[in-house]
Amino acid sequence: MAKDIRVLVIKLADRLHNMRTLQHLAAENLLFKAPATTEIYTPLAHRLGMNAIKWELEDLAFRFLQPADYKRVAQMLDEKRIEREDGVEVVRCQLADELAAVGVRAEVQGRPKHLYSIWKKMRGKGLDFARVFDVRAMRVIVADVPTTCCPGCCAVPWLSIRRSVMPAPAHMPISASQCWLITLSSQGT
């Protein structure tokens, strides 16, 4: 498509703007732009590591390509994205504080799952919304796991947060012997 990465970034920004204003365009533009977005632009954004743009493009295309499903998933979530992001941020800060209190240096990240991803999981696995348990995701990144970490001392802060903020469903029991920290390889993957 282009030898200069800046051209790709501009194309993604342009497509994002187009998708945000798609409801004001003619129907033939809708039928052309939304499928091209999911087939070309979201994989490109993913490949470039621009996940926030990828998620927004997927959700916008989903909104126009599958409007009934989009509304159904949005109603089931019963929260606006900003409310989900705020909730994840509260848990992220709480988890980071509790890990630091027990001496675990970690980077804690979190995000709410976006609508298209939830719908894709429901459709792909034949689940109804009540069986989708990962509408929010937390990631704890540590340089290394101390030898004193297991069994369970690293899991204790997570368990206290999980039980108070995000109770585990019956089919996902949590025990204090589970360590929720994953060490990244030297390549960062």
Side-chain angles (χ1 to χ4, degrees), residues 79-90 112 136:
E79 289 180 298
K80 302 268 187 248
R81 179 158 184 96
I82 193 74
E83 293 167 343
R84 294 192 331 257
E85 287 172 351
D86 289 346
V88 166
E89 182 60 16
V90 167
R136 291 167 184 82

Side-chain angles (χ1 to χ4, degrees), residues 10-113:
I10 290 168
K11 292 292 285 177
L12 283 169
D14 181 53
R15 179 51 58 120
L16 182 58
H17 175 263
N18 288 342
M19 292 302 293
R20 286 176 175 168
T21 59
L22 200 57
Q23 70 270 15
H24 303 296
L25 299 177
E28 62 271 4
N29 283 338
L30 169 75
L31 296 174
F32 172 73
K33 289 188 185 280
T37 297
T38 59
E39 294 166 11
I40 299 168
Y41 291 94
T42 58
L44 178 60
H46 179 72
R47 196 80 187 189
L48 294 174
M50 304 172 88
N51 292 325
I53 291 174
K54 172 193 175 264
W55 300 329
E56 187 173 353
L57 286 172
E58 282 178 338
D59 278 355
L60 289 166
F62 176 43
R63 178 177 166 199
F64 294 109
L65 293 172
Q66 305 283 338
D69 290 334
Y70 178 89
K71 286 178 184 174
R72 186 170 56 93
V73 172
Q75 288 170 345
M76 286 185 275
L77 275 174
D78 197 34
E79 289 180 298
K80 302 268 187 248
R81 179 158 184 96
I82 193 74
E83 293 167 343
R84 294 192 331 257
E85 287 172 351
D86 289 346
V88 166
E89 182 60 16
V90 167
V91 172
R92 188 197 68 74
C93 290
Q94 187 179 0
L95 181 56
D97 291 346
E98 291 198 26
L99 286 168
V102 294
V104 177
R105 289 184 25 217
E107 176 186 344
V108 181
Q109 302 170 348
R111 67 172 179 85
K113 202 166 203 176

Side-chain angles (χ1 to χ4, degrees), residues 173-188:
I174 301 173
S175 70
S177 64
Q178 291 174 305
C179 186
W180 293 85
L181 300 179
I182 299 171
T183 305
L184 294 179
S185 69
S186 59
Q187 292 83 19

